[in-house]
Amino acid sequence: GMVIIGKSLYESKGETPASVAIPEGIICVCSEAFKGQGKLTDVTFPESLEYISDSAFEGCTGITSVEFPEKLQSIGDYAFYGCTSLTEITIPDSVTNIWSSTFRGCSSLTEITIPESVTKIGAHAFDSCVSLKTVQLSDNITEMGESAFYRCLSLPEITLPASLTGISAHMFENCEGLV
């Protein structure tokens, strides 16, 4: 049976439809599978999904929300980069790392809760999430990469966990709401 969705699935067919239901049994949405498909507004993930690879949904400007399955382990670099209409996400407890630039440029995202399972947030993970007002961080985060929350203009406050072992360069630079 099919276990991955690769870029070629939609390259050969032209434009992606507005709504996509990824079939049960798929464990990975591969790199760039839906990259740049601006007309995609709704995607449904199967319970079997474990991995969303790098840039899988990069530039999908029509997606407003995503509901991740409970088995999801990894959301790759740039996976949802530039998804400017994305307003809400819920990251399941099965995810341990949020990689570099995963949600960078999600300018409509207003709140995020990082589950206790997450120990690392990559560089630029939430960079330019200019509408982000509420961030609830895991108490188990030990690393946050450079510019993780760079240019989060609307963020009024954030509580850093005691488990954090250092502050990276530019982590909160241009966060005008933070005092």
Side-chain angles (χ1 to χ4, degrees), residues 23 143 174:
E143 290 181 44
N174 290 330

Side-chain angles (χ1 to χ4, degrees), residues 101-120:
S101 299
T102 300
F103 297 102
R104 183 178 189 172
C106 292
S107 55
S108 297
L109 190 63
T110 58
E111 72 176 76
I112 183 75
T113 298
I114 309 295
E116 294 301 314
S117 57
V118 173
T119 59
K120 296 178 185 175

Side-chain angles (χ1 to χ4, degrees), residues 31 87 121 153 175:
S31 297
T87 58
I121 296 177
L153 303 174
C175 293

